[in-house]
Amino acid sequence: MPTTEFTLNGNPAAIAGNKGTRLSKALRDELRLTGTKIGCDAGDCGACTILVDGAPVCGCLVAVGQIAGSRVETIEGLSASSTVTRRLQDAFLRHGAAQCGICTPGMLVAATHLLERNAAPDEQKVLDAIGGVLCRCTGYRKIIAAILDAGIEHDNAAALDGPAAGQAVGARIRRLDGQRKVDGSEIFGADAAPEGCLLLRAVRSPHHRARFRLGDLDAFVAKHPGIERVLTARDVPGVNCYGPIPPFADQPVFPERDALFRGEAVAAIVGDPAAIEALDLADFPVEWEELPPHFGMDEALADGAALVQGNRPGNILTGGRVARGDAETGMAQSAVVVEGTFETGFVEHAYIEPEAGFARRVGGRIELQVSTQSPYMNRDDIAKILGIVPEDVRILPTAVGGGFGAKLDMSVQPFIALAAWVTNRPVRMVYSRRESIMVTTKRHPSRIAMRIGAAPDGKLQAIDMRADFNTGAYSSWGPTVANRVPVHASGPYFVPHYRAVTRAIHTHLVPAGAFRGFGVPQATLAQEQLFDMLADKLGIDRLEFRILNALAPDQPTVTGQTIGAGVGIRACLEALRPRWKEARERARDFNRRNGKPMRRGVGVAGMWYGCGNTSLANPSTILVGLTPEGRIALHQGAVDIGQGSNTVIAQICADAIAVSIGRIDLIGPDTDLTADCGKTSASRQTFVTGKAAELAGRELRAAILRAANAGADAEIRFTDDGVSVADNGATRALHLAAMPRDARGYVLAGEATFNPPTSALDESGQGVPYAVYGFGAHLAEIEVDMELGTIKLLHLVAAHDVGRAINPTLVEGQIEGGAAQGLGLALMEEFFPGRGENLHDYLIPTAGDLPVVESILIEDASPVGPFGAKGIGEQAMIPTAPAIMNAFYDATGIRLHRVPATPDRVRAAILAAETRDAVTREPERAS
Ligand code: FES
């Protein structure tokens, strides 16, 4: 067997076997250095950046044979040997520059290369250095700040000790799980598998809609050594149907006869990894009969259109409706009415970590170690598929390398679980980038028609909206989008007359599902652009128009809910007032001084977002136990997908007990060890699980005080042999080692469940859909190149009412990352099924696309949230795109009704506007 010898992290190393193997794969598979991540295998994402002979390269583009005699350095080696890397790691932790952490090793390697040659680079040099490494979480600004700051000495003692007892909430503490993200030791879905693990590969439909017939599978297995088994629908022992919302569940593990979208798996091949990787599927026995698909919503809605799902007439999955007052009367009473139809396309989540995990059978149980946002939902669906009870399924979520909603749905889970179950061997699966883009859920394409009317004084009178969403072939989270959008389409404003009707429509395209905002970003694009049109018609300043109509705490929302307290939209908008005036003046100055082709504009947009499930129970349960050794075990089942819940929930719990956060050990998530904390979505973990942690922490505190016979204000201190409780000058000692233990081994414990107080919506959508809302407003300054059609975001100000910023650094990280995704939605991101299933055709923002984001944190406390906190995950991205599109109109006088505003669309709109201008000027010239 050929061997390639080289130097790896300062030591001699050798890789045996194929010299054509990608170096990134060989480092991970052969040498177990999984700090080098694989995101695309095409040199697009930079996650596998390593140093070869001192130069940064993508390990996926280097063949093993090319490094013979070379010097290779990975994050593991640099962490151990490079003081520059260690300074960078410290700066990343200080600045919150690692969120999910999947891009972090690549970023650190690229930054190390820069700083080793230039100890004090300017920002442009940093941008050049990390320009080839994509990050989907952070918006890059904290990464840039960390690299610029890495050369400066910092006193870390206070930061590493953490805040004093009772002072964790509000502190900018480092992520508790941060160290392993920066040193490359974090375990993501593809980073671990048991010895002897089989590999699974899906056989996928090449057609958007096709009938298929499988041939002789036994002969196929016999013909291919190393192939263990082919799995199809007939191998499913339980129910061949799953879905995140049980009443709408419709997705088979494998269909029996018809593939309903391109990429749907019709079978899976399991075998020895080398055999699976070498397999050419050309001789796989399947015949396809291509059938005419519905690509668009109009085709699916046409009379007599074939049904995508036979039990859903008209191809309508479901609809939503909220009505208050009388929209028609409100329009009739309005002095000014504006209307428009706005469209968006599919948007890909494009997290850097493709879906991955492994499953193994343990006696009569099945265990899955997998990248997921929803462990308990996975557990219940896997149990259904295998025909076993949920308690016999264990889900161990790995670190999640970005989720943003798509990892709420199952991807590899049903395949690996079924394969491990029937083969009784561990089985793993790692999606390729192409598979990840081709088959995982997307943001719903939308077509939103809206009318808005206002009185002469600018007060809103009525909003009337009809919105259709292309939900693709299976239901996924389509019902959630259809139900959430009507509640939110008013924006955070008082609207006396309101009607909002939505439909989720099936087509033969990849399922659309959950993506940061559940349809609200699309609706806000329509509503906030129409607000500018309305303000202009009324002759009212666009920001002041929003302030005039901002929802007050005592005003009812469009569902008739009076929130009562913690309604910070006015404060957010007013915080923008001075910047709005300055920015408008700056843009006017620029435009006066510079003629075409460069034009500048300023836009503003507001938002609100209900935290948690819409009118549905979504409890979280937290257990906190005091160990005999004096540690506090926090059983925390919420999956941290990079947003920071591991840290934030611990901060809340520590302050509820009034102990130092350093005293807390995180347990989980793991469905065997942690109770259900629900899914990580809908901006609910800080609010819902955080509240459960607060209540559980207070319960543990009360138990400690009871055991010490102390009053509620007593101080808890940990000593070498237990706890001492100081109360009114007296001190009582608890000798923990001598105390009896409960079944879990704790001497004292607190457990609490929190379920947000909501109510069902009636047939008009009236009720209390959410207990807590987050509010925000963004101000965007942009520059348009009128000749090239390009738009550059110059500056963004983001004001968000977060109730209480539990960890301001992490809140800012969410705002900056959300803004980056909003920028992508506005300017560059659209997925066309069947095309561009990679990260060089599907473009996401790079470090050079993001300007400085100025975050303004408003803390209008929620009476329900933990220490007043609200969610921020979804909220952060919602106003960015409409603010940019309003800025585009401000710059050009052209209103775009479809995003993304790609250069071709912008240029076409400019040409059309110039033609229109020329035509309308014609008579003037003639006269
Ligand atoms: Fe960069 Fe998640 S932190 S991709």
Side-chain angles (χ1 to χ4, degrees):
M1 189 176 284
T3 297
T4 303
E5 295 184 352
F6 61 106
T7 303
L8 176 62
N9 295 328
N11 298 310
I15 296 173
N18 189 347
K19 288 179 182 282
T21 301
R22 296 176 193 275
L23 179 56
S24 50
K25 177 175 165 50
L27 288 171
R28 292 171 55 84
D29 293 354
E30 308 295 323
L31 303 172
R32 312 306 303 159
L33 294 177
T34 54
T36 299
K37 306 301 179 189
I38 294 178
C40 69
D41 264 345
D44 296 322
C45 75
C48 61
T49 299
I50 53 176
L51 300 179
V52 175
D53 293 329
V57 297
C58 285
C60 69
L61 297 183
V62 177
V64 165
Q66 290 177 286
I67 54 146
S70 291
R71 190 164 40 89
V72 175
E73 292 163 281
T74 68
I75 187 65
E76 291 90 348
L78 293 171
S79 296
S81 66
S82 168
T83 52
V84 168
T85 304
R86 284 202 292 274
R87 281 210 320 268
L88 277 163
Q89 289 169 329
D90 191 61
F92 268 51
L93 295 173
R94 241 181 5 254
H95 285 266
Q99 288 191 18
C100 81
I102 191 83
C103 73
T104 307
M107 286 286 182
L108 287 167
V109 172
T112 297
H113 176 259
L114 169 69
L115 293 193
E116 281 184 341
R117 281 149 191 80
N118 181 350
D122 60 17
E123 183 170 321
Q124 189 54 52
K125 289 277 188 300
V126 173
L127 290 175
D128 292 345
I130 64 169
V133 188
L134 294 177
C135 176
R136 191 55 157 167
C137 299
T138 63
Y140 300 101
R141 296 309 309 185
K142 289 197 180 297
I143 293 173
I144 295 164
I147 297 170
L148 289 170
D149 193 32
I152 300 166
E153 286 295 325
H154 287 266
D155 178 7
N156 279 331
L160 295 174
D161 286 350
Q167 293 178 19
V169 167
R172 291 179 178 271
I173 67 167
R174 299 166 179 224
R175 302 181 65 103
L176 300 185
D177 51 8
Q179 183 57 41
R180 55 185 192 257
K181 293 179 189 293
V182 298
D183 65 21
S185 64
E186 184 70 286
I187 299 296
F188 293 90
D191 290 341
E195 279 304 312
C197 201
L198 300 176
L199 188 62
L200 184 146
R201 183 163 160 194
V203 178
R204 300 188 178 279
S205 170
H207 305 294
H208 294 288
R209 181 184 172 209
R211 183 150 297 171
F212 64 92
R213 199 171 64 80
L214 297 170
D216 188 343
L217 302 177
D218 291 339
F220 176 81
V221 173
K223 186 176 156 194
H224 293 276
I227 300 302
E228 186 97 358
R229 180 138 185 185
V230 176
L231 299 167
T232 67
R234 67 176 181 220
D235 294 302
V236 177
V239 180
N240 187 19
C241 179
Y242 66 92
I245 306 175
F248 292 92
D250 54 9
Q251 192 154 2
V253 179
F254 305 108
E256 293 180 7
R257 193 180 64 153
D258 291 318
L260 299 184
F261 71 97
R262 177 182 148 80
E264 182 166 15
V266 300
I269 308 168
V270 191
D272 173 67
I276 292 286
E277 283 165 5
L279 200 60
D280 179 354
L281 290 183
D283 67 345
F284 184 80
V286 58
E287 288 174 14
W288 302 100
E289 178 194 349
E290 199 173 349
L291 298 171
H294 303 319
F295 286 121
M297 293 187 282
D298 289 337
E299 293 161 72
L301 291 169
D303 284 346
L307 296 184
V308 179
Q309 297 288 340
N311 60 343
R312 295 188 179 133
N315 284 317
I316 296 173
L317 164 64
T318 189
R321 180 174 179 272
V322 170
R324 184 166 182 81
D326 181 339
E328 291 307 330
T329 301
M331 292 296 171
Q333 290 171 350
S334 296
V336 178
V337 175
V338 295
E339 63 185 309
T341 299
F342 296 84
E343 294 182 304
T344 65
F346 280 112
V347 182
E348 158 64 16
H349 296 74
Y351 27 70
I352 305 304
E353 181 208 26
E355 296 73 7
F358 73 83
R360 65 179 156 201
R361 191 168 178 163
V362 182
R365 301 184 80 212
I366 190 93
E367 285 184 6
L368 278 77
Q369 183 166 313
V370 70
S371 178
T372 178
Q373 295 178 240
S374 48
Y376 270 83
M377 291 168 64
N378 285 185
R379 183 194 74 153
D380 294 351
D381 262 339
I382 293 299
K384 201 172 85 169
I385 289 165
L386 297 185
I388 58 179
V389 296
E391 291 70 24
D392 282 342
V393 181
R394 182 181 189 183
I395 305 290
L396 296 120
T398 62
V400 177
F404 316 117
K407 289 176 184 167
L408 293 168
D409 287 70
M410 295 207 292
S411 55
V412 302
Q413 292 92 324
F415 306 131
I416 57 175
L418 176 62
W421 192 251
V422 302
T423 63
N424 203 14
R425 300 267 308 273
V427 179
R428 73 190 300 233
M429 184 179 196
V430 180
Y431 274 12
S432 66
R433 175 56 57 184
R434 180 165 179 253
E435 271 181 311
S436 179
I437 295 184
M438 188 188 340
V439 304
T440 61
T441 60
K442 305 283 173 279
R443 182 179 295 287
H444 281 73
S446 66
R447 181 173 57 209
I448 298 175
M450 192 180 269
R451 286 188 298 157
I452 307 182
D457 63 359
K459 290 278 180 66
L460 286 166
Q461 295 300 302
I463 292 181
D464 187 16
M465 180 199 76
R466 286 186 182 277
D468 286 337
F469 293 92
N470 184 341
T471 207
Y474 294 108
S475 63
S476 181
W477 294 91
T480 306
V481 168
N483 287 316
R484 187 175 272 271
V485 167
V487 174
H488 287 83
S490 63
Y493 308 99
F494 175 63
V495 183
H497 300 286
Y498 182 75
R499 179 173 58 200
V501 180
T502 58
R503 296 185 295 185
I505 296 161
H506 279 303
T507 59
H508 292 106
L509 296 177
V510 61
F515 191 167
R516 214 168 189 166
F518 283 109
V520 177
Q522 295 96 306
T524 307
L525 268 163
Q527 171 257 312
E528 285 290 334
Q529 291 193 80
L530 286 169
F531 266 33
D532 267 19
M533 292 162 69
L534 198 50
D536 289 356
K537 273 200 165 188
L538 288 160
I540 300 175
D541 175 88
R542 296 165 191 163
L543 176 63
E544 296 303 327
F545 175 77
R546 290 170 169 83
I547 293 172
L548 176 71
N549 286 291
L551 188 73
D554 59 351
Q555 286 177 319
T557 68
V558 290
T559 70
Q561 176 183 3
T562 301
I563 300 171
V567 180
I569 182 58
R570 173 179 284 272
C572 290
L573 291 164
E574 288 179 342
L576 297 182
R577 205 180 248 145
R579 282 127 175 124
W580 171 251
K581 287 187 177 140
E582 290 161 19
R584 299 265 288 169
E585 195 50 48
R586 258 197 311 276
R588 270 197 290 271
D589 266 6
F590 179 90
N591 292 338
R592 259 196 306 270
R593 284 187 283 105
N594 298 274
K596 285 183 179 178
M598 308 307 281
R599 302 282 301 168
R600 286 192 178 177
V602 186
V604 66
M607 64 71 57
W608 68 330
Y609 193 81
C611 304
N613 292 356
T614 310
S615 286
L616 291 173
N618 61 142
S620 285
T621 299
I622 288 279
L623 167 70
V624 208
L626 179 60
T627 72
E629 296 77 28
R631 302 292 300 172
I632 293 172
L634 171 55
H635 289 247
Q636 203 281 95
V639 179
D640 190 328
I641 61 172
Q643 85 281 28
S645 55
N646 280 342
T647 306
V648 166
I649 291 166
Q651 287 179 265
I652 291 168
C653 190
D655 275 16
I657 310 170
V659 296
S660 158
I661 194 167
R663 183 66 49 186
I664 289 187
D665 297 321
L666 284 172
I667 310 282
D670 172 344
T671 56
D672 272 10
L673 300 178
T674 51
D676 190 358
C677 284
K679 56 198 167 49
T680 295
S681 77
S683 301
R684 61 176 295 285
Q685 292 299 17
T686 295
F687 163 43
V688 184
T689 303
K691 187 69 182 183
E694 180 192 351
L695 297 173
R698 292 195 193 288
E699 201 174 293
L700 176 59
R701 175 179 172 78
I704 295 171
L705 297 182
R706 260 196 316 275
N709 199 21
D713 296 329
E715 186 185 347
I716 297 172
R717 292 189 205 127
F718 284 85
T719 59
D720 287 345
D721 61 347
V723 168
S724 80
V725 179
D727 185 23
N728 275 333
T731 299
R732 299 178 183 87
L734 295 178
H735 297 286
L736 302 179
M739 291 171 68
R741 302 170 191 190
D742 67 16
R744 296 159 300 207
Y746 299 128
V747 294
L748 293 167
E751 186 165 12
T753 297
F754 176 68
N755 187 23
T758 62
S759 72
L761 301 181
D762 66 17
E763 66 280 357
S764 293
Q766 299 298 292
V768 178
Y770 312 103
V772 167
Y773 295 79
F775 300 87
H778 287 190
L779 184 159
E781 289 182 72
I782 66 162
E783 185 171 285
V784 184
D785 186 321
M786 303 292 280
E787 289 181 349
L788 295 178
T790 53
I791 299 172
K792 174 89 181 154
L793 180 60
L794 301 173
H795 189 67
L796 190 78
V797 187
H800 281 276
D801 169 22
V802 296
R804 180 77 190 273
I806 303 292
N807 186 325
T809 301
L810 297 181
V811 172
E812 290 163 4
Q814 287 300 294
I815 292 172
E816 292 170 18
Q821 292 186 356
L823 179 146
L825 173 66
L827 301 184
M828 64 183 74
E829 294 189 43
E830 184 166 9
F831 172 66
F832 299 95
R835 287 156 47 192
E837 292 156 347
N838 55 66
L839 290 176
H840 48 264
D841 291 314
Y842 187 87
L843 298 178
I844 65 172
T846 66
D849 292 314
L850 269 297
V852 168
V853 175
E854 184 187 344
S855 294
I856 301 173
L857 304 186
I858 308 289
E859 295 184 304
D860 192 346
S862 156
V864 187
F867 295 92
K870 308 167 179 177
I872 183 63
E874 336 270 317
Q875 286 83 345
M877 84 155 290
I878 294 170
T880 314
I884 290 172
M885 298 318 297
N886 281 338
F888 177 75
Y889 179 84
D890 189 50
T892 64
I894 297 168
R895 181 65 65 188
L896 285 181
H897 287 249
R898 185 176 177 95
V899 294
T902 47
D904 57 321
R905 283 191 184 136
V906 170
R907 191 66 195 128
I910 290 169
L911 287 173
E914 287 173 354
T915 306
R916 261 197 317 275
D917 282 354
V919 170
T920 51
R921 278 200 302 270
E922 220 30 62
E924 293 170 20
R925 277 198 219 111
S927 64

